[in-house]
């Protein structure tokens, strides 16, 4: 039997049959493994992605495993499509128990979205910010928001000049967006009354489609790692299934009930970089996010 994230996370005995979960970016990689795991635990899973065929395949696999799934297609690069996704989810349910902000991207070339925002930041941070805002009133009292960050976040210097792509560096932009994920989690945890918000580092997953638009050297490097046997790279690289363990743990484990505003790695709390919990930077990013999206998440 192939590795299952719920087993690695120690939650294989948890019953989520009364829970509804939305997992963004769940047609491939870590998101797919997360959606499949939550489905096997009994949750009704809202699968999201841009590839309709892949989305239907994941939904079908969850159905075959005895769960229930619905696919939603949306491109998260633009604010309007994020609002539309939230509306479609709300049309399907008036209660969301688990929101996994997993979708992410890494771009080798600097691009501005139609909203005038650097694309990595728009997809990786502003989309979760808007989606969580729009779904906040349907989050159950004991709901959980899980946002996938990255251990590369300490590379970011805490500046958020995201309306230009001058002097663009793909890895710096990615690190900035991942720092934003943690700052967002800290700010969100302070604003939620009942539901919890946590974030995590999933590990380096070479086979993830995250790197499909990275620079050629980066694609070649992670591509090589993805072809090496896991026993050779297991110390510093993960499969999508092992990479999904911490996400599944935060979504399903009773051990983190009531825990909020924390950063996790390997299914355990970990201290992020000092900038990631800086109060002034938490406020600064929150205000900037509201300004860039025209939403108020007070």
């Amino acid at each position: 039997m192939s590795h299952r994230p719920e087993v690695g996370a120690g939650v294989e005995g948890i019953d989520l049959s009364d829970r509804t979960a939305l997992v963004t970016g769940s047609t491939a990689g870590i998101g797919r493994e997360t959606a499949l795991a939550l489905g096997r635990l009994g949750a009704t899973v809202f699968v999201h992605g841009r590839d309709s065929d892949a989305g239907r395949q994941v939904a079908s696999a969850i159905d075959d495993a005895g769960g229930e799934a619905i696919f939603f297609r949306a491109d998260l690069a633009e604010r309007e499509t994020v609002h539309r996704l939230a509306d479609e989810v709300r049309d399907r349910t008036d209660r969301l128990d688990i929101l996994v902000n997993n979708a992410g991207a890494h771009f080798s070339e600097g691009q501005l979205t139609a909203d005038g925002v650097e694309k990595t930041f728009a997809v990786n941070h502003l989309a979760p910010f808007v989606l969580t805002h729009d779904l906040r009133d349907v989050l159950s009292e004991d709901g959980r928001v899980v946002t996938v960050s990255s251990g590369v976040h300490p590379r970011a210097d805490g500046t958020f000049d995201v309306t230009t792509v001058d002097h663009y560096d793909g890895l710096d932009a990615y690190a900035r967006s991942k720092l934003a994920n943690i700052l967002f989690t800290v700010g969100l945890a302070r604003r939620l009354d009942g539901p919890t918000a946590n974030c995590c580092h999933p590990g380096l997953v070479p086979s993830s489609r995250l790197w499909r638009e990275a620079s050629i050297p980066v694609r070649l490097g992670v591509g090589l790692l993805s072809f090496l046997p896991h026993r050779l790279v297991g110390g510093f690289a993960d499969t999508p299934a092992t990479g999904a363990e911490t996400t599944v743990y935060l979504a399903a484990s009773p051990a983190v009930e009531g825990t909020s505003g924390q950063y996790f790695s390997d299914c355990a709390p970990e201290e992020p970089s000092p900038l990631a919990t800086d109060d002034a930077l938490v406020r600064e990013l929150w205000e900037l996010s509201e300004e860039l999206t025209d939403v108020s998440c007070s």
Side-chain angles (χ1 to χ4, degrees):
M1 180 183 294
S2 60
H3 181 89
R4 291 189 167 186
E6 65 270 30
V7 176
V11 298
E12 67 272 24
I14 301 300
D15 180 8
L16 297 181
S17 58
D18 63 341
R19 299 285 172 171
T20 299
L22 167 61
V23 184
T24 66
S26 49
T27 56
I30 293 171
R32 178 181 184 275
E33 294 293 340
T34 299
L36 291 173
L38 296 179
R40 286 191 294 263
L41 295 177
T44 297
V45 183
F46 294 163
V47 177
H48 158 265
R50 295 186 300 168
D51 185 326
S52 297
D53 288 339
R56 284 191 287 267
Q57 289 173 11
V58 176
S60 178
I62 292 173
D63 290 338
D64 290 345
E68 182 178 346
I70 303 169
F71 172 66
F72 296 85
R73 185 185 182 281
D75 186 335
L76 301 185
E78 296 178 13
R79 185 168 66 241
E80 198 53 46
T81 57
V82 180
H83 286 309
R84 192 177 307 132
L85 171 61
D87 289 342
E88 291 174 357
V89 169
R90 291 163 63 92
D91 286 343
R92 288 282 188 169
T93 187
D94 58 3
R95 170 177 164 158
L96 186 66
D97 302 288
I98 302 165
L99 170 57
V100 180
N101 292 311
N102 166 80
H106 177 289
F107 302 100
S108 60
E109 301 293 332
Q111 306 172 58
L112 292 178
T113 67
D115 299 317
V117 179
E118 188 275 307
K119 194 171 183 179
T120 311
F121 189 78
V123 173
N124 295 1
H125 167 62
L126 291 182
F129 183 84
V130 172
L131 186 62
T132 304
H133 164 268
D134 286 2
L135 295 174
R136 186 169 165 179
D137 65 343
V138 296
L139 281 174
S140 58
E141 182 67 22
D142 59 349
R144 301 183 182 192
V145 180
V146 182
T147 302
V148 179
S149 181
S150 170
V152 77
H153 76 270
R155 180 184 175 100
D157 64 4
T159 59
F160 293 99
D161 187 10
V162 294
T163 57
T164 178
V165 290
D166 293 344
H167 312 296
Y168 180 84
D169 178 276
L171 187 55
D172 285 346
Y174 183 73
R176 176 174 60 199
S177 72
K178 297 291 105 178
L179 173 63
N181 290 154
I182 306 175
L183 292 165
F184 164 63
T185 296
V186 173
L188 180 63
R190 294 171 180 173
R191 289 166 171 81
L192 291 176
D193 182 15
T196 60
N198 292 291
C199 57
C200 64
H201 166 54
L204 172 63
V205 182
S207 59
S208 170
R209 295 186 66 217
L210 169 68
W211 311 105
R212 64 189 179 275
E213 296 189 64
S215 64
I216 291 175
V218 170
R219 293 204 306 271
L220 288 174
V222 297
L224 175 62
L225 287 175
S226 68
F227 281 107
L228 292 174
H230 185 62
R231 61 185 173 80
L232 297 180
V233 299
F236 57 90
D238 290 276
T239 65
T242 59
E245 287 177 3
T246 304
T247 308
V248 173
Y249 174 79
L250 289 173
S253 176
V256 291
E257 184 176 351
T259 299
S260 198
Q262 300 297 307
Y263 174 72
F264 281 73
S265 180
D266 293 327
C267 298
E270 185 171 293
E271 199 67 32
S273 72
L275 283 177
T277 55
D278 181 88
D279 283 341
L281 200 56
V282 170
R283 290 193 300 271
E284 177 186 326
L285 176 67
W286 199 274
E287 292 169 0
L288 174 64
S289 302
E290 289 185 327
E291 178 183 336
L292 293 173
T293 60
D294 292 325
V295 299
S296 176
C297 298
S298 301

